Amino acid sequence: MNDKIAIIYGTRPEFLKIFPIINEFRKKTHAVCIVNTGQHDSLLTEMEMSFGVIPDHQLCVQSLSFTNSNLIAKLIDEISNLVHQQNIQKIIAQGDTFTVLASSMVAFLEQRKFYHIEAGLRTSDIKLPFPEEFNRRVVSLTTDVNFSPTQLAKQNLLKEDISENKICLVGNSIVDMIQYVRQKENITVEYQDFVFITAHRRENIGQPLRNIARAIRELAEENPETQFDWALHPNPNTRKIIMEAFESGTPKNINFTEPLSYLEAIRKMAKSKLIISDSGGIQEEAPSLQKRVLILREETERPEVIDCNCGVLVGTDIEKIKHHFSLIYNNPEEYIFKSENNPFGDGKSAEKIVKKVLE
């Protein structure tokens, strides 16, 4: 009960799912050591400020000159030093980033307990997505408690011979987060005549992203009364490829924006009629916002969103994107997702996680 607990994150998506756990510890007035590794910088700092979180420790692990191996080595070194300096006995981390991989390795090597939030997500290819699939498979090898978001994630772990007594089915804390944000910001679900778009994944850079941009352009031209809002990613490579598709002119009903804050993105998604994205996080958020999503990927590690008929895998095939858009967009029976079918839980994930960690 008195073991010192560290919550470690380094990216914006991690923070979104970690915040409900931080908030739950606050409700219980139980002190935890909050650590931001600095894997992401300005976007994450802005988010921390908006939710009133000030890390106890801000590590500076990122460098433009780093290879993936350099980054992991730096993370291990910094986290290991912190664990010993602060006498950390329990480490909580979420997801599949290098921050999580390094945290789990330090916990194992220094004989601390490691708690993995969102354990058990899998694709069929260890290189897809790269490097996240590798990271999460390795993390599961030594995790003390795997907090699985869904029954399928739990089954994935059991297939890998992870002991059932090391697995807790808790739901996905993103549901907690969206419920918190919607209540705090008074965000209502609407179905206005516009589409929210994001595209940034590494495997889509190149011709796949060109196909996506062309599909959106053609949809905008063919549906002039519909507004298409595309939130661009900071990555200059993705921006260059996308904008090349519009060199001859951008249809008036396409609006490109800078990266949105989390609150702005939730507001946009909450009022959209359809979402088109390759984001894993958006696949999880869409059911809580009662939205359908066209998934710009060939495979997803969140097949639950397909099984519940919230998401449709369209890949980067132009005709497939346009076909499923037409099937869904003008039919309320298709574009309204019934929230009672949410496969990611009931919004009580953080409560279950904190209770287990404090045992």
Side-chain angles (χ1 to χ4, degrees), residues 30-312:
H30 192 289
V32 291
C33 180
I34 300 173
V35 183
N36 178 347
T37 66
Q39 195 174 331
H40 282 179
D41 45 23
S42 57
L43 288 176
L44 180 51
T45 302
E46 176 187 321
M47 183 172 289
E48 288 170 330
M49 291 174 63
S50 67
F51 287 97
V53 173
I54 301 174
D56 298 291
H57 300 277
Q58 180 85 43
L59 310 182
C60 298
V61 301
Q62 192 57 275
S63 169
L64 293 176
S65 64
F66 276 2
T67 64
N68 289 339
S69 301
N70 294 149
L71 178 56
I72 293 171
K74 181 69 171 176
L75 279 161
I76 290 173
D77 190 45
E78 292 283 343
I79 294 169
S80 176
N81 289 340
L82 182 70
V83 162
H84 286 287
Q85 289 166 7
Q86 299 297 319
N87 193 28
I88 303 297
Q89 297 300 315
K90 295 180 176 180
I91 298 174
I92 303 170
Q94 184 280 328
D96 49 26
T97 67
F98 287 142
T99 286
V100 183
L101 176 63
S103 297
S104 72
M105 292 173 70
V106 169
F108 178 73
L109 294 171
E110 307 305 324
Q111 298 183 304
R112 268 56 172 187
K113 283 197 170 184
F114 186 73
Y115 299 81
H116 185 203
I117 297 171
E118 201 175 68
L121 274 62
R122 296 292 186 269
T123 66
S124 59
D125 184 346
I126 198 168
K127 294 182 179 179
L128 186 67
F130 177 88
E132 290 86 359
E133 181 69 12
F134 170 84
N135 293 346
R136 53 190 172 226
R137 292 194 197 189
V138 174
V139 167
S140 296
L141 293 172
T142 59
T143 294
D144 292 281
V145 180
N146 296 272
F147 291 117
S148 292
T150 65
Q151 185 64 43
L152 179 58
K154 177 179 177 179
Q155 292 303 314
N156 288 338
L157 292 169
L158 292 172
K159 288 176 185 175
E160 295 173 4
D161 294 325
I162 304 299
S163 173
E164 187 162 11
N165 63 16
K166 291 187 173 184
I167 306 171
C168 289
L169 182 60
V170 296
N172 195 313
S173 57
I174 198 64
V175 181
D176 305 42
M177 185 64 166
I178 290 179
Q179 289 180 0
Y180 174 87
V181 166
R182 285 190 59 190
Q183 182 177 3
K184 181 174 180 286
E185 300 294 321
N186 194 27
I187 296 173
T188 58
V189 171
E190 305 172 51
Y191 294 92
Q192 297 183 16
D193 194 10
F194 93 95
V195 182
F196 182 69
I197 306 158
T198 73
H200 70 277
R201 293 195 73 84
R202 184 184 282 107
E203 60 264 33
N204 279 342
I205 293 177
Q207 190 57 46
L209 192 52
R210 293 186 185 94
N211 291 348
I212 292 167
R214 181 179 158 191
I216 299 302
R217 181 188 179 113
E218 291 181 10
L219 283 172
E221 291 170 344
E222 294 163 10
N223 299 272
E225 301 305 314
T226 298
Q227 181 70 34
F228 293 79
D229 275 23
W230 193 330
L232 296 172
H233 192 268
N235 185 331
N237 291 330
T238 64
R239 290 183 175 224
K240 182 174 183 292
I241 292 168
I242 291 167
M243 298 318 297
E244 282 174 352
F246 297 90
E247 284 180 340
S248 60
T250 302
K252 292 181 179 179
N253 54 331
I254 293 183
N255 178 39
F256 292 106
T257 71
E258 290 301 309
L260 303 178
S261 71
Y262 183 67
L263 295 180
E264 288 171 331
I266 292 297
R267 287 192 188 97
K268 290 259 189 183
M269 287 191 283
K271 71 177 185 178
S272 67
K273 194 182 285 188
L274 182 66
I275 300 168
I276 302 177
S277 179
D278 59 6
S279 162
I282 284 177
Q283 291 175 57
E284 295 168 341
E285 291 157 350
S288 292
L289 296 168
Q290 297 168 249
K291 306 296 177 178
R292 301 286 303 284
V293 55
L294 301 186
I295 303 168
L296 303 168
R297 295 169 64 176
E298 303 301 329
E299 183 178 2
T300 177
E301 61 271 49
R302 297 165 176 87
E304 298 91 344
V305 80
I306 308 296
D307 296 340
C308 73
N309 201 36
C310 177
V312 182

Side-chain angles (χ1 to χ4, degrees), residues 21 24-25 28 349-358:
I21 288 85
E24 187 66 23
F25 275 115
K28 294 184 178 298
S349 175
E351 184 180 324
K352 298 169 188 173
I353 289 168
V354 170
K355 181 180 178 182
K356 182 67 178 178
V357 173
L358 292 178

